[in-house]
Amino acid sequence: MRIEITCILVLFSCLPLSMIGQNSYYFTGGISDSHIPIFTQKANATILSTSFRNALTFSVGYNHRVNKNLIYSGSLNYRSLGANTLYRQVDENFFFVNTVNLEYLSFKFVPKGELSIGKYSMAVGLGASISFLANHQIENYLLNENGLEFLYKEDIELKRFDLGGLINLELKRRIGSRLYLIMSLEQYQGFIGILHSGTNKVYISNTALNIGVQFPINKKKA
């Protein structure tokens, strides 16, 4: 009996720690580089340049391990996306700046394939996300020698929901008996045009780099 127990303990100690904690919570935060080509609706506007700015993103999620190499991950996320467009109206000699800021709350579901080697784990996931537009600002400014002078808010109607797919690449390192450090790179592509009207189709596309921590949850003994 002692020999059997010893063999079981030895076998258990050889398993990756990710197999010991079958389920886990995680928290990540990082930078999102967005592509949202929403331009001014002013007539006779000539677009000169567009810069897509970096903004913050946060996630709180739950991992369910199906087997040694497969994980189902679900998370709630906050994304701030933005862009600045420099333009000029044909009938005016002034330059203008159109600014866009969109804030989304999202739910993501991502199945991941994971490979563990010692303290390190690498996972690749392909999933989907549905997002709700929580807040938005689209404004125009006059560019003059004193800086930017606020003119007005653009009257652009946006859809409240967005649906898209994503690819996630994740690297984890064990830094404690029950703690992992996470670094992930994610590419998202929206499938639904976010403008209610207009001839231009605008789809959200963004890349996010995140770091965070993961806390495994050991199963309780019966």
Side-chain angles (χ1 to χ4, degrees), residues 97-151:
V97 177
N98 172 254
T99 69
V100 177
N101 182 62
L102 308 179
E103 296 181 14
Y104 280 94
L105 299 177
S106 308
F107 172 76
K108 298 178 183 178
F109 176 72
V110 186
K112 300 177 182 178
E114 184 181 71
L115 177 64
S116 298
I117 303 176
K119 293 183 178 182
Y120 294 90
S121 299
M122 178 175 289
V124 178
L126 180 65
S129 172
I130 183 169
S131 303
F132 171 75
L133 182 62
N135 187 32
H136 72 278
Q137 288 183 324
I138 303 176
E139 300 174 337
N140 272 294
Y141 296 84
L142 171 65
L143 181 62
N144 55 40
E145 59 184 11
N146 296 321
L148 295 178
E149 178 185 340
F150 176 74
L151 295 179

Side-chain angles (χ1 to χ4, degrees), residues 114-115 119-124 168-173 180-185 210 212:
E114 184 181 71
L115 177 64
K119 293 183 178 182
Y120 294 90
S121 299
M122 178 175 289
V124 178
N168 181 281
L169 176 62
E170 182 179 274
L171 178 65
K172 295 188 295 186
R173 186 188 189 280
Y180 282 90
L181 179 65
I182 306 172
M183 183 173 66
S184 67
L185 180 65
N210 298 284

